[in-house]
Amino acid sequence: MKKICLGIQESASPRLVHGLKLLTEALEECGCLAEVAEGAWSSLTYRNRPEPKIYIGNREESEFIRSLERQEVLIYHAKEPGKEGFYIATLPGNLIVVSGGNDTGALYGAQELAERVRRAGRIPDLLAHGETPDFVLRGPVLGLQKTEIEPPRRTYEYPITPDRFPWFYDKALWLEYLDMLCAQRSNVVYIWSGHPFSSLVKLKDYPEALEITEEEYKLNVETFGWLTEEADKRGIWVVLNFYNIHIPLPFAEKHGLELHQPKPLPITADYTRKAVAEFVRSYPSVGLMLCLGEALQGSVYGAEWFTETILAGVNEGLRDLNVKERPPIILRAHAVKAEPIIEKAIPLYPNLFTEAKYNGESLTTWTPRGGWKQTHNNLSEMQSVHIVNVHVLANLEPFRYGSPAFIQKSMQAAKHRQRANGLHVYPLFFWDWPYSGDKTTPRLKQAQRDWIWYAAWARYAWNPDRDPETERHYWIEELAARFGSREAGAALLEAYDAFGECSPQLLRRFGITEGNRQTLSLGMKMSQLTNPDRYSPYRALWEDHAPQGERLELYVQRELADEPHIGETPIDVVESVELFAEQAWTAIRRASLHIVRNREEFDRIASDVEAIRYMVRFYGAKVRAAIQVLSYKLTVNGSYLEHTDLLEDAVPYLQESVEWYRKLTGLTEKTYLYANSMLTPHRKIPVPDGRKYKHWTDCLPVYEEELASFQARVNDLKTGKLPSQVSGEVKIEPYRQAAFRLTSPGMETYTLSKDSLLFTDGEVYVQSCAEELEGLTGIRFSRAEAAKGGMTVKFETDTPVRLLVGYFNSSDEQWLQVPTLDENTHADDQGGLSPILRKGIKPSFYPSVNVHAFMFKGGSNTLNLGKGAFAVLGVVAAEQALKERDVSPFSESSRSLDWLYI
């Protein structure tokens, strides 16, 4: 047995000790006897040990390494190892030195040497190899989140308890996960929670803020403390995300506050500062990541809250601690402009980061552009580190994804185009961590199922500019190792890269949004393809998160006008994804002939490829039907009995789409529990309500009914009959006024009718209003004050009501803008996200007004929607059904053609 002498610098950190452990295990597996030499190592005496020697150290702290550098015995033939970098060198005197740029770099160097020893079965003869990561922070996120909301708590809010999150207390699961991240050289794990402090710290001044039992609290402290220590020894920061301003339920109840606070109050600021300080004192190696948008009006109060509450708490907590590295503090550039906030914060804290979504909340392109690219560029120029966030992946759910080619190009774009140097990557099924959506017993764990997802992002966060041909061979070998043959590996890689193009291309060209509102794999309705404006489309999807190209209606307009097309067209995408889906299907069947092991998992990959093929064919047929419908719309110009042959041509395509969807449903009924991991009302596309419409079996009847309605409408038009939705009179039911008491000072009530004033200033008169609204009692206030700083409306009711709010159809900053679930997950907590009456009010000389209905319970209520002017048009009984309609003139509303599908 060959004896190896191992050395490590004095006062070695846990990271260095862990690196030594990894190297020792590798040497012993190869039949070596590894012994650690006690005492300090010297450049003048190390030769006294005749056996092979390996020394591990941090070049910033190890006198042995520094002396070898001074003597020019250790020379770096390439760049010196930077932060988290390493260099492994064979030196005279039978010595191998692992020189780390810091403790983490030394750990990675020891790990690299251990891998080489394992591959060779011995210590390599000559080593001169160095690496330093391109990205400063690199790692995945997991959520202390659940698939459903727990009233009376609201979105994101889940106390950390064993019954809610049993996996959080599973140390074996954590060690497996942390070892995977360490092996991939990921150096951070982000944990998302609404308000974690109420489960992890106790405050003397606010004992009511603790949301869990004393036993649960002790368990949490022990578990989280253990987790941070285990992560730290592997060079991994734990970073805890939280939202602002969320407060604990018992704290809110005691002080009579709402769970979500739009602006700072003295009591919420004092509580939060003390909670952050106590958290930092208790867990000094844990970073914090905070969202200043959504609940908090970050554009108004973000800088104040970040500097005077959060950073003040962090600095207070660190004041008496002797920490080697200050934990990272990360500001999300989400629903808030981060640049001015960071500018004010930089003098207050030295280790600041910013974060923004890479492709919004999906993976759509490696060529981001437009305003979103500019946001990244602006943030990357700040005196902080900028991180790209590969977020939610709503368009990839629930299938496997592992295209190394797509991921590598995405990381190259993050580095070179967005100029970021940090990565924050979501799992593929975030809301149901640690499980995937596969229908198996026992359920599959995401970290194991999606190994290639994690491995690819980590590999290219370390170095995105690797040679593509070298990478092809690397991934073939990785897949071959899992499935038993190089032939299988090559075919699987071809399949992964081919079907990896399908969902990104489909969503960016046809989707309504790249966020949680849409589940791409469940399909889209015809109305969503031909009349997307009805569904509040997120324009950044195709303006920022897609290559230059055309949406469906613009494409048809240019086709009919015989105008040249610019960029990626709908037909380009349909034909492209159909080609890629068939390539993947051919490759996966070829791979099947060469599978030697892990057949069960291979079959699940093959099933995903088949499902994506059916999904692609569904979209292809439906898009072709939509092109025919839009051609009809732009040709007939309101004369709906003409050119019905265009609609007849759409029928076979729509029939074909339903047939493909039936195949998809039949397959996924056997393979998946549900298509989307968040089963809440936030899911709107293709059908609202993520719990009711969570599986393809739930949506198939919707598409079958849509087909039947479309066929019936086409038959009516062919026989010269206009459907009732176009020709008939709509029966209008007036809304019922509910009693309320206005308690806001400086406001007044009024009766809504023609010539009513909507505000106390500015002379905004009602020229006409929808019949449903006539005679309701509204509330008016100063338009100028609302435009400048927002307006808080307080009122009391004895019963549940809906408050009718008017949003002006203008993007001018004086008017309140409708929030979106893409930027504010709380936007639909009280309903009201979608208008019930489009253009329900026509003021004189001002933009038209859409009417939204917000639900409130009986009792004292507060409406605070943020900065911008809006109108309060009435308070109506909650139980009354409010029928949605377009109050536009008949000719305008009928042109949407939605009446073809209902």
Side-chain angles (χ1 to χ4, degrees), residues 527-567:
S527 173
Q528 290 154 358
L529 291 172
T530 61
N531 184 26
D533 287 347
R534 176 180 173 183
Y535 302 91
S536 302
Y538 190 52
R539 298 187 63 87
L541 171 59
W542 60 90
E543 293 180 348
D544 297 346
H545 306 144
Q548 180 64 260
E550 299 170 357
R551 298 280 280 179
L552 267 167
E553 187 155 355
L554 177 59
Y555 167 78
V556 174
Q557 286 174 352
R558 287 179 174 167
E559 276 288 290
L560 293 176
D562 198 25
E563 295 176 353
H565 297 289
I566 299 173

Side-chain angles (χ1 to χ4, degrees), residues 64-294:
F64 180 50
I65 290 179
R66 286 202 297 266
S67 65
L68 291 172
E69 292 175 344
R70 287 194 299 269
Q71 294 170 352
E72 295 191 329
V73 174
L74 174 59
I75 295 178
Y76 305 107
H77 76 284
K79 287 184 178 180
E80 296 178 350
K83 185 178 179 181
E84 297 198 344
F86 62 85
Y87 190 89
I88 309 172
T90 301
L91 302 181
N94 217 0
L95 172 66
I96 294 174
V97 166
V98 177
S99 173
N102 59 5
D103 288 353
T104 306
L107 163 62
Y108 291 151
Q111 185 182 62
E112 173 70 18
L113 181 56
E115 291 172 2
R116 292 183 177 222
V117 167
R118 281 197 176 90
R119 286 199 302 268
R122 62 186 181 86
I123 299 174
D125 295 323
L126 181 62
L127 291 162
H129 176 75
E131 297 180 43
T132 295
D134 278 8
F135 284 67
V136 174
L137 281 183
R138 312 168 302 280
V141 54
L142 49 84
L144 286 165
Q145 309 284 1
K146 294 177 70 64
T147 57
E148 297 186 38
I149 296 169
E150 295 182 355
R153 292 184 173 89
R154 296 168 68 181
T155 311
Y156 305 139
E157 292 164 357
Y158 305 94
I160 307 170
T161 58
D163 60 319
R164 289 184 177 89
F165 304 106
W167 60 265
F168 180 73
Y169 306 89
D170 187 337
K171 292 183 177 180
L173 180 69
W174 270 119
L175 288 177
E176 184 179 357
Y177 186 67
L178 294 174
D179 284 341
M180 178 190 79
L181 299 186
C182 182
Q184 295 169 353
R185 300 182 194 164
S186 294
N187 66 349
V188 60
V189 57
Y190 307 87
I191 302 177
W192 282 52
S193 175
H195 186 80
F197 308 115
S198 56
S199 295
L200 294 170
V201 296
K202 289 196 294 188
L203 299 180
K204 180 180 64 175
D205 294 343
Y206 299 102
E208 71 277 9
L210 189 68
E211 291 198 85
I212 55 179
T213 67
E214 187 66 29
E215 292 73 20
E216 289 168 339
Y217 170 71
K218 290 178 180 177
L219 179 61
N220 284 354
V221 170
E222 188 277 326
T223 302
F224 197 62
W226 170 87
L227 169 61
T228 59
E229 288 179 9
E230 290 295 329
D232 183 64
K233 73 171 63 169
R234 292 164 174 80
I236 298 171
W237 288 101
V238 175
V239 172
L240 206 57
N241 176 85
F242 62 101
Y243 284 81
N244 293 275
I245 302 175
H246 289 205
I247 55 178
L249 178 62
F251 176 86
E253 290 176 338
K254 176 174 180 178
H255 299 283
L257 299 171
E258 286 286 325
L259 280 169
H260 296 172
Q261 291 293 308
K263 62 181 181 180
L265 299 173
I267 189 170
T268 58
D270 186 62
Y271 159 70
T272 304
R273 179 180 55 78
K274 288 177 177 174
V276 169
E278 184 60 30
F279 180 84
V280 170
R281 277 191 289 267
S282 303
Y283 312 101
S285 66
V286 178
L288 294 173
M289 177 176 177
L290 59 154
C291 179
L292 293 177
E294 300 206 3

